[in-house]
Amino acid sequence: MSGFVGDLSPQQTAVLEKFRQNVKDVLKPKQGDYYLLRWLRARDFDEKKAEKMLRDALQWRQEMGADTILEDYQPIEVLEKYRTGGILGRDKSGCPIYIDPYGLIDMKGLLRSVKKQDILKKFVQVMESVGKICEEESKKNGCQLDTMTIIYDLKGLGLKHMSKESVDMYLAIVDASESRYPEVLRRAFVINSPKIFPIIWSIVRPFLHENTANKVVVLSGNYKEALLKEISPDQLPACYGGTLTDPDGDPRCKTYICQGGTVPKECYSQAVPHHAMLTGNIGRGSTLQLEYEVHEPNSILRYEFQTDGYDIGFGVFRKNSKERLKASEMDTILSTQRSNCHLVPEDGAVECDSPGIYVVRFDNTYSWARSKKVYYVIEVLETESKSNMEVSNDDDDNDDDDDEFVMAQDTAF
């Protein structure tokens, strides 16, 4: 049985009744069987796990002010202007559609400009808006609607989106979706997926319940035709195959769907906390080399670093053995450049096309007067779950260098 109202086995019906009794002290009058079954399905009808999940979520809602956020939410200008996404249209079942051109987001810039909690509050405000729409549509149509359809447009998504803080922020949103708003997703369509999507999916997948993962559909080729099977043309922006446009004819419907963009640095106000980073001391005229073993081709090495004062050289290289080599003796992945990371933290990512040992190299050989302290976070992301051992080498000798992923149509995970 599906676990939905009207399709319950005798055992599921008994669990529902027990669950209702266990949580009756926190239920509101309008939170009936449809509401309760969402939590039970999310925990495979284990009423104890479902109760804990529900009570934890209610505590979180109180902390986030979710029950009153639609009335008292105070928009933050940079967040409203540079986040991505918006609610527009209904699918053929009557559920609201959320369209997110996530490939256009500058999450790093947002996290430099607002607090993580501000981004989470915006997420709550959006989800509560979806809930209100579902409630209104349910009354209008005379049937229960409590789910949403999402379209993730990943065009433009690349290595710049893979910084640790950006990925961690997105995972926090995914986790909140799963644990605080369970079974709200009807279907998620992923379009314009980039080459690095398998790595992205391997990061996100562990946060999703099997029910949710099965609702994610990656579309390639003629995705517009596939979207129109679920969404009527007059409910879908013209850029995705529908007929909706802004009043000025814009096919992306920017009035309703925020298109993101690069956050101006003058908006920055947040700094990366040093306690979240590892530290390394680089003597004057010296280098610090960190080695990371990559097992899978097309993996990603992402980095973030800053210094207390003064610039530092930074480069990424590859070698095939654990032998200590100079930069000139290794394959150059990212040539060494001096970074003013004492002013603005540096972050980024490089593609690791081939397996091997990738060497992240901080270069202070040009400085004979000052040693440097560097704070850094470096990780290797692979499609397969493998441990990556870091070997840190502090070297005082001087270098003599001058220094498409495509899935089949309608492939569901």
Side-chain angles (χ1 to χ4, degrees):
M1 311 299 283
S2 67
F4 287 83
V5 172
D7 190 28
L8 300 176
S9 68
Q11 182 180 3
Q12 289 172 332
T13 302
V15 171
L16 172 60
E17 180 57 34
K18 186 176 181 180
F19 182 48
R20 183 189 297 110
Q21 291 301 314
N22 290 346
V23 298
K24 64 181 180 181
D25 60 307
V26 294
L27 287 182
K28 297 179 180 178
K30 65 179 181 179
Q31 294 171 336
D33 287 355
Y34 286 97
Y35 177 80
L36 293 173
L37 286 170
R38 281 172 44 200
W39 303 90
L40 286 172
R41 291 196 303 274
R43 287 298 177 263
D44 299 318
F45 276 79
D46 184 321
E47 75 272 10
K48 291 184 179 179
K49 290 181 179 179
E51 180 180 354
K52 184 180 186 307
M53 184 186 191
L54 174 57
R55 292 186 184 277
D56 287 347
L58 292 176
Q59 176 64 34
W60 180 85
R61 289 181 62 83
Q62 183 177 355
E63 294 168 358
M64 298 296 292
D67 289 338
T68 60
I69 200 166
L70 294 182
E71 291 76 36
D72 54 30
Y73 180 73
Q74 298 295 319
I76 300 174
E77 183 177 0
V78 66
L79 198 54
E80 296 299 313
K81 187 173 182 180
Y82 293 103
R83 69 181 178 89
T84 56
I87 304 168
L88 179 63
R90 308 289 184 266
D91 65 20
K92 290 183 178 179
S93 69
C95 297
I97 303 167
Y98 187 83
I99 301 174
D100 190 350
Y102 193 77
L104 302 178
I105 201 167
D106 176 14
M107 185 61 81
K108 182 186 81 169
L110 288 176
L111 288 167
R112 292 286 188 273
S113 306
V114 299
K115 297 176 182 178
K116 178 180 177 180
Q117 194 76 350
D118 295 327
I119 297 176
L120 282 174
K121 284 236 177 191
K122 181 61 187 179
F123 160 76
V124 174
Q125 189 257 347
V126 169
M127 293 302 292
E128 295 301 314
S129 297
V130 169
K132 184 177 181 181
I133 292 172
C134 285
E135 190 175 332
E136 293 171 349
E137 292 292 325
S138 296
K139 292 178 180 177
K140 184 168 64 176
N141 297 325
C143 62
Q144 182 69 23
L145 295 174
D146 54 8
T147 58
M148 63 190 293
T149 289
I150 299 178
I151 300 173
Y152 282 112
D153 183 356
L154 302 187
K155 186 176 182 179
L157 193 75
L159 295 179
K160 65 182 179 179
H161 295 89
M162 298 304 293
S163 69
K164 184 178 187 303
E165 60 178 346
S166 298
V167 173
D168 286 350
M169 183 69 250
Y170 181 69
L171 290 180
I173 294 172
V174 171
D175 182 60
S177 299
E178 281 287 271
S179 60
R180 315 309 184 189
Y181 296 93
E183 293 291 301
V184 168
L185 180 66
R186 179 176 181 270
R187 184 64 60 88
F189 295 104
V190 179
I191 62 175
N192 296 318
S193 58
K195 178 182 177 182
I196 63 174
F197 183 75
I199 293 177
I200 297 171
W201 180 249
S202 70
I203 296 171
V204 174
R205 178 63 181 85
F207 288 79
L208 303 179
H209 187 277
E210 193 66 31
N211 291 345
T212 304
N214 289 335
K215 297 172 184 175
V216 179
V217 180
V218 181
L219 300 176
S220 60
N222 188 11
Y223 67 79
K224 295 180 180 180
E225 180 179 336
L227 292 177
L228 289 171
K229 291 179 181 178
E230 300 282 339
I231 304 167
S232 298
D234 63 351
Q235 298 294 305
L236 186 67
C239 64
Y240 298 126
T243 59
L244 279 179
T245 64
D246 267 347
D248 63 357
D250 191 329
R252 298 191 66 85
C253 298
K254 295 178 182 178
T255 300
Y256 302 94
I257 304 170
C258 299
Q259 300 293 310
T262 302
V263 179
K265 290 187 177 180
E266 53 265 30
C267 295
Y268 289 7
S269 61
Q270 307 294 321
V272 179
H274 285 173
H275 69 262
M277 296 179 155
L278 300 175
T279 60
N281 293 303
I282 311 173
R284 53 188 181 179
S286 301
T287 64
L288 171 65
Q289 292 192 178
L290 308 170
E291 298 187 357
Y292 297 83
E293 189 169 358
V294 174
H295 306 88
E296 298 292 324
N298 301 318
S299 297
I300 292 173
L301 184 148
R302 65 183 182 186
Y303 57 84
E304 182 169 0
F305 62 92
Q306 60 186 122
T307 56
D308 277 341
Y310 308 103
D311 62 3
I312 195 72
F314 178 82
V316 181
F317 304 85
R318 188 181 69 84
K319 61 181 182 177
N320 294 319
S321 70
K322 294 185 178 180
E323 179 185 1
R324 173 75 183 192
L325 299 175
K326 294 181 179 181
S328 60
E329 299 171 324
M330 297 183 284
D331 297 330
T332 300
I333 306 301
L334 183 67
S335 59
T336 300
Q337 296 183 0
R338 290 168 67 169
S339 169
N340 291 319
C341 56
H342 60 299
L343 302 176
V344 178
E346 187 83 34
D347 70 20
V350 295
E351 286 190 67
C352 305
D353 295 330
S354 305
I357 297 174
Y358 284 73
V359 180
V360 174
R361 184 173 179 274
F362 293 101
D363 184 0
N364 197 36
T365 57
Y366 58 87
S367 178
W368 290 97
R370 298 185 179 90
S371 59
K372 311 282 176 65
K373 175 178 278 191
V374 62
Y375 301 86
Y376 65 91
V377 175
I378 299 169
E379 293 181 309
V380 173
L381 308 177
E382 297 183 327
T383 53
E384 301 271 334
S385 178
K386 294 181 180 291
S387 61
N388 292 286
M389 181 177 66
E390 172 191 312
V391 180
S392 214
N393 295 310
D394 223 341
D395 185 31
D396 286 335
D397 61 11
N398 300 332
D399 265 6
D400 54 9
D401 317 322
D402 295 329
D403 288 340
E404 170 162 314
F405 174 70
V406 179
M407 297 195 70
Q409 181 79 13
D410 285 329
T411 300
F413 287 96

